[in-house]
Amino acid sequence: MIAIIILHYGRIEDTEECLKSLSLDLRGRVPVVVVVNDVEVGAVARSCQVYPNAHVVFTGGNLGFAAGNNIGIRHALELGADHVVLLNNDTVVEPGFLEPLRAVFADYPDAGMATGPILYAAPPNAIWSAGGSLGGWTALTHHALLGQPRSMLFREVRETGFVNGCFVMVSRRCIERIGLMDERYF
């Protein structure tokens, strides 16, 4: 089973758009754990009603990216998830977005993480990230295909030096092997 984790902080409108895009594509078939890393709990709880299989978890305040997602990951694993997908709350998914990720894990059962292309909202169809590389002792990142048109996307699965936390699928096996996120990363 796959579970999706959305870390909510700030703009409720973004979280609502994310949930709406998920509900249109998945129709409640995949559990979504909404981690409310904020104090606006009532609005988020009401917004989650648009997604029939939403689980709302409150942190009581802003714990940061890593700690908030770790709460969601733990909850997803308790639900029995074999894979978790981390999505930023300002992400809008396209129909069928999970299928290529499922295919990666089917074709590469030893893979720990997989990602897909991340596009800018504006300008539309411009690539923000398609994986990338880490460089040197400073660990500067280089996003593959940054700013290129969508038509330049790779047609095959490729190994990448990093995946972006705003859209990544991680296997339970990988989490059990390397652990949760380092919570010093706020």
Side-chain angles (χ1 to χ4, degrees), residues 1-183:
M1 171 186 66
I2 296 171
I4 297 171
I5 299 162
I6 300 171
L7 183 63
H8 169 81
Y9 178 78
R11 293 177 38 88
I12 186 67
E13 299 84 6
D14 290 341
T15 301
E16 289 171 344
E17 284 299 311
C18 182
L19 285 165
K20 182 180 174 185
S21 69
L22 288 169
S23 67
L24 291 172
D25 187 41
L26 303 174
R27 295 179 185 82
R29 295 185 306 256
V30 174
V32 173
V33 179
V34 179
V35 179
V36 182
N37 211 19
D38 202 341
V39 292
E40 61 174 291
V41 296
V44 177
R46 283 189 300 280
S47 295
C48 289
Q49 293 173 358
V50 72
Y51 193 85
N53 203 1
H55 301 253
V56 184
V57 180
F58 303 101
T59 65
N62 186 4
L63 304 180
F65 181 82
N69 272 305
N70 283 345
I71 288 170
I73 292 168
R74 284 186 198 100
H75 188 86
L77 296 178
E78 288 171 9
L79 292 174
D82 297 314
H83 294 85
V84 297
V85 175
L86 303 182
L87 281 180
N88 277 5
N89 71 314
D90 63 350
T91 305
V92 175
V93 301
E94 295 181 346
F97 81 104
L98 279 181
E99 300 316 313
L101 298 177
R102 284 182 175 144
V104 167
F105 284 99
D107 293 344
Y108 302 91
D110 291 335
M113 298 179 194
T115 189
I118 302 166
L119 306 176
Y120 285 106
N125 294 315
I127 300 166
W128 178 65
S129 183
S133 59
L134 294 171
W137 62 273
T138 61
L140 289 174
T141 59
H142 169 75
H143 288 259
L145 304 177
L146 178 66
Q148 296 296 312
R150 181 185 197 137
S151 61
M152 297 298 295
L153 284 170
F154 309 122
R155 301 286 178 227
E156 68 281 341
V157 173
R158 291 178 173 219
E159 190 170 321
T160 185
F162 74 90
V163 294
N164 195 294
C166 76
F167 173 45
V168 61
M169 181 184 278
V170 185
S171 71
R172 173 188 283 266
R173 193 182 78 255
C174 179
I175 295 165
E176 290 171 346
R177 184 171 160 220
I178 66 172
L180 295 170
M181 291 186 197
D182 184 339
E183 294 187 4

